[in-house]
Amino acid sequence: MATGRIAVDQPLKSPGVRALEDAFHRLVELSRGEAPPPLALRLDRLKRLKAVVAANERRFEQAISADFGHRSAIETAVAETMFVLTEIGHAAKHLKKWMAPQRIPTALQFAPASNRLMPQPLGVVGIIAPWNYPLQLTLAPAVAAITAGNRAMIKPSELVPRFSALLAETIAQKFEASEIVVTGIDEEIARAFTTLPFDHLIFTGSTRVGRLVAEAAGRNLTPVTLELGGKSPAIVDASADLDTAAQRIAYGKLLNAGQTCIAPDYVMVPEAAVDDFAGRLHRHMQKMYGTDPDNADYTSIVSDRHYARLEALVTDATDKGATILQPSSPTDPGWKGRRKFPPTVIAGATPDMTVMQEEIFGPLLPVFGYRNAGEPIAYVNAHDRPLALYWFGSDNAARDEVLARTVSGGVTVNDCLFHVAQINQPFSGVGPSGTGAYHGEWGFRSLSKLKPVFYRSRFNRLADLYPPYGTKIARLMKVMRLLS
Ligand code: NAD
């Protein structure tokens, strides 16, 4: 673990749009001019990426913490460093198998012949990342790009300048500019980035910006993977143990102070249990993070603008009649001075409250009641399809009804967040919460061209299809119809 200088005072210099375009065209030229990187080179790139993360773990942790105001070191280790190292280790172990052309059955009428599905690098992949898990969301897509044999350009977020400078520095130490480039972070670069005709673009960020990115990419017919946000519901069934559900939801909400794309955004509980459940949530939040804003486990809000946005959401909910449970007021200088937003339960939330109309992305948790099991399903289906959905209970029939009748990016049953860490499962949204998928082999497949190849045999009868069409084609068509 390196303990060297922390790049906190070195802003990432923008290379300028012209330099960005030159770097991009160079990558494209190489990707067209050179043979696809063999297994050994891809494994070597993964090894170098691992070295970037492992050798600079402490520096990344400190740079991210400085960017946030404070970021829990444990949360950085678990949700960023370990996450990326797990992706790298898994990919290194399975890459040989992923890269092998896959045998595909041949329909009888084309026999004797064979089919193979051949994975190929797409070329140059663009990666645009948000600030909330800056290491995970720049480098997990980079792992997918490397395994699939692509070159990559990474555009980190302008809200984490120290992290971005450190990423650029450490990537440049281990990678040639012909392999991976970390660009500047200013607005001009962000906009220019999306106009480049990448072979694939992975964007992680808000639904609003995702729409702009998809529009810009569409002009080049650049395929996109969009990992977006939205309001992810938690449904507490009548069969649930309220205290266990409250504890697990409190954890899912307060990790990274709620600045998590798949954090539970609001909770629906049986109507009679709203106050009881809100009280349990409040108590579990205090048990986990205490009442002292100086708690090192509790992460700061990334900017004053976001802090003010969260304050306004609470004020609006209060004005509209919600009951607010907080260890302290967000205006308290001890909290506000550290940009730590007090964990806030909003009991009795209603649809007219702003907190129920936009993604919260902070430690506020609205709770409201439902009268029958159909209501939460109808509520979810009346809104944008969410990135995640959480269901708590022991009634399997009720659970299966929710699973069958709602569509979301992913689901964790009887807990929060953990579906994102299942490396053998795809991670993705659906519709307004995203499109395309990655993690593990799913990332390899998303960033490869899976090219179907048909190998004709010397002995098959395809020549019978050629004109002049005589009786032989009639015979062949009869056989084909019989087989179809
Ligand atoms: P954002 O959409 O504001 O920014 C994301 C990235 O896009 C940043 O790098 C930003 O500089 C860049 N950007 C901004 N405007 C752009 C433009 N016009 N053209 C090109 N790029 C542009 O999101 P954010 O505030 O950084 O992150 C929070 C959002 O990200 C939340 O909505 C959250 O749910 C979502 N998110 C989703 C996932 C996921 O995996 N689905 C993960 C983390 C965060």
Side-chain angles (χ1 to χ4, degrees):
M1 192 185 288
T3 52
R5 177 184 52 80
I6 300 157
V8 288
D9 298 320
Q10 287 194 330
L12 180 55
K13 282 202 194 76
S14 170
V17 171
R18 184 65 197 276
L20 177 82
E21 289 170 353
D22 288 348
F24 171 75
H25 291 303
R26 173 91 184 112
L27 290 178
V28 172
E29 211 174 280
L30 289 167
S31 76
R32 273 39 175 190
E34 290 185 354
L39 175 66
L41 180 52
R42 296 185 205 192
L43 289 175
D44 180 61
R45 286 177 180 165
L46 288 175
K47 200 168 146 196
R48 281 183 274 147
L49 194 67
K50 183 176 172 181
V52 166
V53 177
N56 298 289
E57 191 173 346
R58 180 100 179 101
R59 295 178 76 199
F60 278 121
E61 176 208 307
Q62 294 193 7
I64 293 170
S65 191
D67 282 332
F68 272 66
H70 173 75
R71 158 64 94 70
S72 153
I74 299 293
E75 290 181 356
T76 300
V78 171
E80 309 236 45
T81 318
M82 271 170 52
F83 193 102
V84 172
L85 292 177
T86 302
E87 280 278 335
I88 293 173
H90 179 79
K93 192 164 160 204
H94 298 284
L95 186 52
K96 188 174 176 192
K97 193 174 92 218
W98 298 348
M99 285 174 66
Q102 192 186 333
R103 193 185 284 270
I104 303 288
T106 306
L108 260 183
Q109 58 267 42
F110 297 102
S114 62
N115 277 299
R116 295 282 184 282
L117 196 58
M118 176 185 173
Q120 280 187 300
L122 288 170
V124 185
V125 171
I127 297 168
I128 303 181
W131 51 266
N132 63 326
Y133 292 98
L135 185 74
Q136 183 204 131
L137 298 169
T138 47
L139 295 191
V143 172
I146 289 172
T147 57
N150 297 296
R151 291 155 211 273
M153 274 186 119
I154 304 175
K155 210 291 290 167
S157 165
E158 70 283 8
L159 281 184
V160 280
R162 298 164 182 87
F163 161 79
S164 303
L166 184 58
L167 184 72
E169 175 198 319
T170 52
I171 288 284
Q173 282 165 358
K174 291 285 179 190
F175 289 89
E176 300 296 330
S178 57
E179 299 175 301
I180 301 182
V181 174
V182 179
T183 73
I185 53 176
D186 58 276
E187 215 181 309
E188 195 189 18
I189 291 289
R191 267 199 298 271
F193 195 91
T194 48
T195 65
L196 298 173
F198 286 105
D199 295 300
H200 194 105
L201 197 51
I202 299 195
F203 169 82
T204 307
S206 62
T207 300
R208 182 187 70 78
V209 176
R211 209 168 257 130
L212 300 174
V213 168
E215 272 173 27
R219 281 193 280 279
N220 294 316
L221 295 181
T222 291
V224 285
T225 298
L226 300 174
E227 301 287 346
L228 309 177
K231 294 183 82 63
S232 296
I235 302 172
V236 177
D237 187 64
S239 64
D241 178 89
L242 286 187
D243 205 56
T244 306
Q247 183 195 34
R248 295 175 187 176
I249 292 173
Y251 172 73
K253 181 78 222 185
L254 295 185
L255 183 81
N256 206 27
Q259 301 165 112
T260 301
C261 57
I262 50 170
D265 191 275
Y266 59 93
V267 193
M268 294 180 275
V269 297
E271 199 165 57
V274 170
D275 291 341
D276 182 10
F277 190 76
R280 288 172 194 272
L281 272 175
H282 182 54
R283 281 193 292 282
H284 278 296
M285 288 177 169
Q286 295 208 7
K287 234 189 248 173
M288 285 177 199
Y289 293 98
T291 53
D292 179 359
D294 206 18
N295 182 342
D297 289 342
Y298 193 51
T299 292
S300 296
I301 300 304
V302 75
S303 70
D304 291 340
R305 185 176 68 79
H306 278 289
Y307 198 95
R309 180 180 64 78
L310 295 168
E311 276 186 289
L313 290 179
V314 178
T315 305
D316 175 75
T318 311
D319 291 349
K320 290 173 180 159
T323 302
I324 306 296
L325 306 177
Q326 289 174 320
S328 175
S329 162
T331 56
D332 180 319
W335 291 80
K336 197 165 184 165
R338 295 175 170 82
R339 245 182 6 245
K340 299 249 182 124
F341 201 97
T344 303
V345 179
I346 302 176
T350 50
D352 60 324
M353 294 174 185
T354 317
V355 77
M356 287 310 300
Q357 293 162 7
E358 57 188 57
E359 181 181 6
I360 296 171
F361 223 58
L364 321 182
L365 190 52
V367 180
F368 59 94
Y370 63 84
R371 281 161 302 192
N372 61 66
E375 272 185 25
I377 295 174
Y379 188 90
V380 171
N381 288 338
H383 293 82
D384 281 352
R385 289 187 159 159
L387 182 59
L389 183 143
Y390 303 112
W391 187 89
F392 290 83
S394 56
D395 178 343
N396 291 351
R399 176 200 65 198
D400 291 348
E401 181 79 359
V402 170
L403 288 179
R405 293 186 48 201
T406 60
V407 181
S408 58
V411 174
T412 293
V413 172
N414 280 321
D415 215 321
C416 290
L417 311 181
F418 290 110
H419 64 281
V420 72
Q422 305 312 307
I423 197 147
N424 295 308
Q425 291 262 50
F427 181 74
S428 64
V430 51
S433 57
T435 185
Y438 77 124
H439 288 180
E441 187 174 3
W442 299 90
F444 170 84
R445 292 172 81 90
S446 287
L447 298 187
S448 295
K449 166 62 192 164
L450 299 176
K451 187 164 75 177
V453 182
F454 174 72
Y455 295 86
R456 183 199 204 279
S457 127
R458 258 177 38 196
F459 304 109
N460 73 16
R461 303 292 302 271
L462 289 175
D464 288 354
L465 282 170
Y466 306 162
Y469 302 122
T471 48
K472 60 183 177 9
I473 186 111
R475 257 199 330 268
L476 186 69
M477 283 169 65
K478 208 165 154 189
V479 174
M480 282 181 162
R481 271 173 200 251
L482 273 175
L483 292 172
S484 64

